[in-house]
């Protein structure tokens, strides 16, 4: 794997080796990327992805050059194409981590790049490193991925983490997915076609209470305000599903609650102290998984 653009670029063997390396790096970080430079190029806001990639690179002894709000503070503001920007950054760094607001931009960047490009989220497209850390969280907190039943909840139409995670789960055995969303925000046909092709069992419902007690993982997501045409449209769905302590009490004893974050109001803060709430640990695991990935791409 030279670039990581879509979850489909990953296979279970590679994922397994990345997770083993992440486990090792948690116990004993090493300066394996000394002398290497990572460019983080973010055209859309981020807290976790940018900082965790940068933290991962620094923890491995590498260096970071970075621009946040690249739409405004890079030469994109003067009309430079993404292709030209990437060709130039090839001279300055050894790997590029790119977040963009338009689906397909990471693939465009990879097409002209001699150094690895990692898709850190392309609009409503994909977010493969989030899916990797999500899977790592399931493995760490639930014990294994095979056989897991997971409810993906919320804005499934716009959620790139949902797309990337579904594609990854399709590579494992005996997985059951429950897509929980209002009709207008239901999961895309491309994902359903992929799951059909890979014989993954899935169900669709708009009733969260009907699945709370039967799944191993609730994967809650934010209603993505920035992807709605109007504020009025967004407000129809804001707060549509809220996980509270009462609902948490109805989950299976070992079930967990995940969320890619950021959250708005879809998990009440009263849930944070529950042992089922693993969403902050999930963000922590992101550093380990991204350390393993950077090593894999750069060594
Ligand atoms: N989960 C995630 O991608 O978070 P950020 O938008 O803060 O990077």
């Amino acid at each position: 794997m030279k670039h990581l653009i879509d979850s489909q670029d990953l296979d279970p063997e590679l994922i397994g080796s990345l997770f083993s390396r992440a486990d090792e790096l948690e116990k004993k970080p090493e300066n394996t990327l000394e002398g290497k430079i990572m460019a983080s190029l973010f055209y859309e806001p981020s807290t976790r992805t940018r900082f965790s990639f940068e933290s991962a690179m620094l923890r491995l002894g590498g260096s970071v050059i970075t621009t946040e709000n690249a739409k405004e503070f890079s030469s994109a503001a003067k009309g430079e194409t993404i292709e030209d920007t990437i060709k130039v950054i090839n001279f300055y760094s050894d790997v590029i981590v790119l977040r963009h607001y338009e689906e397909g931009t990471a693939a465009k960047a990879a097409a002209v790049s001699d150094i690895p490009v990692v898709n850190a989220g392309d609009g409503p497209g994909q977010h493969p490193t989030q899916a990797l850390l999500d899977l790592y969280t399931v493995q760490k907190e639930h014990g294994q991925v095979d056989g897991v039943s997971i409810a993906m909840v919320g804005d499934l139409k716009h959620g790139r983490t949902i797309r990337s995670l579904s594609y990854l789960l399709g590579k494992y055995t005996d997985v059951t997915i429950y897509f929980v969303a209002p009709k207008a925000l239901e999961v895309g046909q491309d994902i359903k076609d992929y799951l059909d092709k890979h014989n993954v069992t899935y169900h669709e419902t708009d009733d969260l209470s009907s699945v709370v007690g039967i799944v191993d993982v609730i994967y809650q997501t934010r209603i993505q305000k920035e992807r709605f045409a109007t504020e009025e449209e967004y407000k129809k769905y804001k707060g549509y599903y809220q996980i509270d302590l009462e609902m948490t009490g109805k989950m299976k004893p070992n079930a967990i609650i995940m969320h890619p974050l950021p959250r708005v109001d879809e998990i009440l803060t009263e849930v944070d102290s529950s042992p089922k709430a693993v969403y902050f640990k999930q963000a922590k695991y992101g550093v380990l998984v991204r350390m393993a990935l950077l090593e894999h791409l750069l060594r």
Side-chain angles (χ1 to χ4, degrees):
M1 184 181 67
K2 179 172 175 188
H3 308 287
L4 177 52
I5 306 304
D6 297 318
S7 283
Q8 296 91 313
D9 298 332
L10 297 156
D11 61 53
E13 195 184 332
L14 173 57
I15 294 168
S17 74
L18 291 174
F19 289 179
S20 300
R21 185 62 184 143
D23 287 343
E24 283 172 15
L25 287 166
E26 182 175 27
K27 292 186 200 109
K28 190 171 167 287
E30 294 174 58
N31 276 1
T32 51
L33 296 186
E34 220 169 88
K36 301 284 187 190
I37 297 175
M38 181 186 87
S40 52
L41 186 58
F42 277 62
Y43 293 78
E44 254 195 353
S46 169
T47 298
R48 277 144 293 276
T49 311
R50 187 165 73 89
F51 281 136
S52 66
F53 260 114
E54 294 183 1
S55 174
M57 191 64 181
L58 295 171
R59 283 170 196 267
L60 291 168
S63 306
V64 173
I65 53 176
T66 181
T67 175
E68 57 169 340
N69 195 1
K71 195 174 177 181
E72 208 178 315
F73 295 132
S74 77
S75 286
K78 303 173 201 160
E80 186 170 62
T81 64
I82 188 71
E83 286 88 352
D84 284 1
T85 301
I86 296 297
K87 282 179 195 168
V88 172
I89 295 176
N90 265 246
F91 299 126
Y92 306 153
S93 69
D94 301 292
V95 58
I96 297 171
V97 176
L98 172 68
R99 172 169 288 187
H100 202 275
Y101 47 90
E102 269 178 19
E103 187 170 356
T105 303
K108 272 192 204 169
V112 297
S113 183
D114 292 328
I115 62 173
V117 173
V118 179
N119 180 6
D122 60 337
Q126 285 225 24
H127 194 353
T129 64
Q130 178 68 45
L132 262 183
L133 75 91
D134 292 342
L135 216 59
Y136 186 67
T137 305
V138 172
Q139 186 170 294
K140 292 282 263 194
E141 300 298 320
H142 180 64
Q144 60 177 35
V145 179
D146 288 333
V148 76
S149 61
I150 179 168
M152 299 194 192
V153 184
D155 186 351
L156 308 186
K157 178 181 174 187
H158 302 115
R160 57 193 175 201
T161 67
I162 293 294
R163 172 168 293 102
S164 291
L165 183 56
S166 298
Y167 283 162
L168 273 199
L169 285 169
K171 296 171 187 289
Y172 290 81
T173 55
D174 214 11
V175 168
T176 305
I177 304 176
Y178 295 85
F179 292 115
V180 183
K183 184 81 187 146
L185 301 182
E186 71 182 19
V187 71
Q189 191 58 45
D190 63 318
I191 298 177
K192 290 189 263 185
D193 289 345
Y194 178 88
L195 296 176
D196 285 336
K197 195 173 153 199
H198 291 82
N199 297 316
V200 179
T201 306
Y202 65 87
H203 308 276
E204 292 182 86
T205 177
D206 67 355
D207 180 11
L208 177 56
S209 66
S210 69
V211 302
V212 162
I214 61 175
V215 294
D216 303 309
V217 179
I218 294 181
Y219 188 95
Q220 175 67 301
T221 65
R222 178 176 65 92
I223 305 294
Q224 301 206 2
K225 184 179 181 181
E226 67 276 25
R227 314 244 185 253
F228 284 81
T230 63
E231 175 93 12
E232 288 68 43
E233 195 60 20
Y234 164 67
K235 280 184 179 159
K236 280 190 210 166
Y237 301 104
K238 184 182 181 312
Y240 200 91
Y241 299 112
Q242 286 190 320
I243 298 177
D244 58 14
L245 264 185
E246 192 191 335
M247 191 181 286
T248 305
K250 293 176 182 156
M251 293 171 68
K252 285 161 75 174
N254 294 323
I256 55 173
I257 303 166
M258 295 172 58
H259 190 310
L261 303 178
R263 87 173 140 187
V264 181
D265 57 3
E266 59 278 0
I267 301 176
L268 302 194
T269 53
E270 66 183 20
V271 177
D272 294 359
S273 54
S274 163
K276 296 187 182 310
V278 301
Y279 30 91
F280 289 112
K281 264 197 216 174
Q282 194 180 339
K284 183 184 91 168
Y285 291 146
V287 178
L288 299 171
V289 169
R290 287 170 173 137
M291 285 168 85
L293 176 69
L294 287 169
E295 260 194 359
H296 175 79
L297 293 170
L298 287 172
R299 289 179 82 191

